[in-house]
Amino acid sequence: MPAYLASWKASPCVFVSSKSGLMPNLASDGVVCAPLQTFTEEETMLKNMVKKFAQERVAPLVQKMDENSKMEESVIKGLFEQGLMSIELGEEYGGTGASFFSTILVVEELAKVDPAVALLCELQNTLTNKLFTVYGTEEQKRTYLPRAAKDMIGSFCLSEAGSGSDAFSLKTRAEKKGDYYIINGSKMWISLAEYAGVFFVMANTDPALGYRGITCFIVDRNTEGLQIGKKENKLGIRASSTCPVTFENVKVPETNILGQVGQGYKYAIGMLNGGRIGIAAQMLGLAQGCFDHTIPYTKERVQFGKSIFDFQGMQHQIAHVATQLEAARLLTYNAARLAETGRPFIKEASMAKYYAAEVATLTTSKCIEWMGGVGFTKDYPIEKYYRDCKIGTIYEGTSNIQLSTIAKSLAQEY
Ligand SMILES: Cc1cc2nc3c(=O)[nH]c(=O)nc-3n(C[C@H](O)[C@H](O)[C@H](O)COP(=O)(O)OP(=O)(O)OC[C@H]3O[C@@H](n4cnc5c(N)ncnc54)[C@H](O)[C@@H]3O)c2cc1C
């Protein structure tokens, strides 16, 4: 027997758990250690409510919205009415007052039915509402948050034609004139611009300082000089509008600066870190929705005298994809729980977003193959999921950018 085994046998395990089997597992800081797929009562209720809403109010409109590249008013209205555009906002602003994890579950449930609708909800909750709550003044919160809970969509304007991954090389300028600023420049790829009532605009107030000059401005839609361009004709998430937005001598009062002058880059990084968990949830829901449509078909479709699900060649592929989906879900939920309990989560958020986008690509591609010819037609929703998933590797940081973020964390750990 090797020496290390002998010494192990000679010294019996002395650890004895002090708690009864019925007590919850508590971490040293008092956090309950539960399986990742354990939800609070409130989270379960919200998840079930959203599932019903998505099936009854969104599903019948999905194909029409995709074909017309237009979100139906009734869907937007429904999201507000159900409190899904203000999930984490406090009741004093008319919000739902639920947790960040609830937002993740909501985005996942909506994406099972329509990833474009899920994006609308994701951006409002993880980016624009949060910019107000984390960095806004009391006055800004009182002005905008009750409307964000009721009927006003927010839009986040960072990217430009010349600055995507290298976002902070942006060229939009804001020049100080007394107690207001004049913004000039042009933004590209701005989600929800078609419907938004308020825009968070990243502009440089002092180009000599480089990215340290980037400042975030709150700009109302009807401000003179703000122009929303023609929406892009996209491959996927077509019901979610994506437009260029230009600013020509747009006059914004100093009081509409969000937080501090020159801190906009920090706010953008902070919001996108959390937002990535939302995009992971979108990709996860998308992949699960596609899988849920496909598997019953494989059980019903008969070839060579039996259901195609019963061929081992099919079962192994299906089991492989189901396992990848489970892994993406665990990464996403773990990142969300880390974020909501105030723990470091940047690496985990990037891993979740990167992996969930990969899994969505694999799942939707496989589902088309498993459905055969009909999967390739618009008679089934599979081809739409296949088109919708590609964006997961691009926005809120491309897959390469996620890998760079993960590698940066690893470099510090070792
Ligand atoms: C549908 C849609 C909605 C969007 N919504 C918004 C929005 O609401 N607000 C907003 O501000 N922006 C939005 N964006 C912009 C989005 O965030 C950018 O498209 C994204 O950051 C990538 O930038 P890019 O398109 O300029 O690609 P590029 O940055 O030009 O990247 C092209 C390729 O080069 C790779 N690459 C670039 N730099 C590196 C590097 N350092 N290392 C390795 N590889 C690299 C990338 O990974 C990618 O594969 C949206 C985009 C789309 C398509």
Side-chain angles (χ1 to χ4, degrees):
M1 185 184 291
Y4 71 90
L5 267 185
S7 68
W8 176 76
K9 276 192 81 114
S11 58
C13 178
V14 289
F15 176 79
V16 178
S17 173
S18 60
K19 78 182 170 48
S20 104
L22 290 175
M23 295 279 286
N25 283 319
L26 290 182
S28 52
D29 55 2
V31 171
V32 177
C33 302
L36 277 171
Q37 301 200 46
T38 310
F39 310 132
T40 64
E41 204 175 322
E42 182 181 273
E43 287 162 355
T44 306
M45 275 168 58
L46 196 57
K47 185 175 153 71
N48 292 339
M49 186 273 277
V50 177
K51 184 176 177 181
K52 190 163 179 286
F53 169 79
Q55 279 165 357
E56 289 175 4
R57 308 258 310 259
V58 182
L61 301 169
V62 172
Q63 193 171 15
K64 180 180 170 198
M65 294 196 293
D66 182 59
E67 278 168 12
N68 296 345
S69 291
K70 181 120 189 99
M71 190 86 66
E72 287 286 316
E73 277 293 322
S74 67
V75 170
I76 300 176
K77 209 164 160 259
L79 288 173
F80 279 109
E81 281 168 4
Q82 302 288 317
L84 302 180
M85 297 295 273
S86 52
I87 299 169
E88 292 167 73
L89 289 188
E91 282 169 29
E92 67 274 27
Y93 300 117
T96 307
S99 62
F100 176 65
F101 196 83
S102 301
T103 301
I104 295 307
L105 291 177
V106 169
V107 172
E108 182 188 353
E109 284 306 316
L110 289 173
K112 285 179 185 171
V113 173
D114 192 342
V117 174
L119 179 68
L120 169 58
C121 174
E122 194 273 337
L123 289 174
Q124 179 97 349
N125 285 289
T126 73
L127 284 187
T128 53
N129 285 354
K130 222 160 235 179
L131 280 166
F132 279 127
T133 51
V134 178
Y135 305 110
T137 60
E138 270 315 308
E139 176 67 21
Q140 289 165 348
K141 288 183 200 175
R142 269 201 306 275
T143 307
Y144 290 99
L145 288 179
R147 292 182 56 203
K150 190 163 163 263
D151 57 9
M152 193 181 69
I153 292 172
S155 205
F156 180 72
C157 306
L158 173 65
S159 305
E160 298 180 1
S163 55
S165 299
D166 185 13
F168 300 137
S169 63
L170 58 85
K171 293 275 181 288
T172 298
R173 297 286 176 255
E175 202 185 332
K176 192 165 176 10
K177 299 260 187 199
D179 60 357
Y180 60 89
Y181 282 79
I182 301 287
I183 302 179
N184 276 291
S186 186
K187 297 289 176 180
M188 184 102 186
W189 311 118
I190 304 309
S191 294
L192 317 177
E194 188 183 8
Y195 331 102
V198 65
F199 296 81
F200 287 94
V201 182
M202 296 292 172
N204 202 316
T205 46
D206 188 352
L209 294 175
Y211 68 90
R212 288 200 166 86
I214 294 173
T215 305
C216 183
F217 293 87
I218 301 165
V219 185
D220 292 318
R221 182 189 186 93
N222 55 11
T223 312
E224 209 182 322
L226 185 157
Q227 281 255 324
I228 294 149
K230 188 168 164 275
K231 68 181 165 198
E232 305 294 341
N233 187 4
K234 307 196 297 290
L235 170 73
I237 54 160
R238 292 171 58 81
S240 162
S241 72
T242 314
C243 309
V245 182
T246 53
F247 303 85
E248 209 182 316
N249 295 322
V250 170
K251 190 173 164 184
V252 180
E254 204 170 22
T255 48
N256 275 30
I257 287 177
L258 183 82
Q260 306 292 313
V261 171
Q263 297 289 297
Y265 74 98
K266 273 195 196 157
Y267 307 158
I269 293 173
M271 291 302 112
L272 291 172
N273 283 334
R276 283 167 185 167
I277 310 174
I279 300 301
Q282 183 202 26
M283 289 296 119
L284 171 65
L286 182 162
Q288 188 67 56
C290 187
F291 191 81
D292 293 346
H293 271 285
T294 306
I295 301 309
Y297 177 87
T298 67
K299 296 187 86 176
E300 279 161 24
R301 171 75 173 163
V302 173
Q303 291 290 280
F304 302 98
K306 58 180 181 180
S307 90
I308 57 170
F309 181 89
D310 287 336
F311 294 112
Q312 194 187 51
M314 289 288 287
Q315 287 180 346
H316 285 189
Q317 289 183 49
I318 291 168
H320 174 72
V321 167
T323 307
Q324 305 289 307
L325 262 168
E326 182 74 357
R329 175 165 290 109
L330 297 181
L331 279 176
T332 305
Y333 288 2
N334 184 49
R337 288 289 188 213
L338 287 173
E340 92 174 354
T341 50
R343 291 166 163 73
F345 67 91
I346 295 172
K347 180 180 75 176
E348 289 78 4
S350 280
M351 285 177 166
K353 193 223 174 217
Y354 166 71
Y355 193 70
E358 292 290 304
V359 170
T361 308
L362 169 77
T363 307
T364 56
S365 171
K366 279 290 165 196
C367 285
I368 291 185
E369 288 175 25
W370 299 337
M371 302 263 308
V374 296
F376 200 62
T377 71
K378 287 186 186 283
D379 295 339
Y380 287 83
I382 313 304
E383 64 83 34
K384 178 178 177 293
Y385 287 116
Y386 181 70
R387 288 185 283 109
D388 284 352
C389 80
K390 202 60 218 167
I391 192 61
T393 65
I394 299 171
Y395 58 18
E396 297 208 18
T398 66
S399 287
N400 277 356
I401 295 301
Q402 305 310 322
L403 291 172
S404 297
T405 304
I406 297 163
K408 211 181 279 173
S409 292
L410 293 174
Q412 285 165 5
E413 286 170 26
Y414 289 91

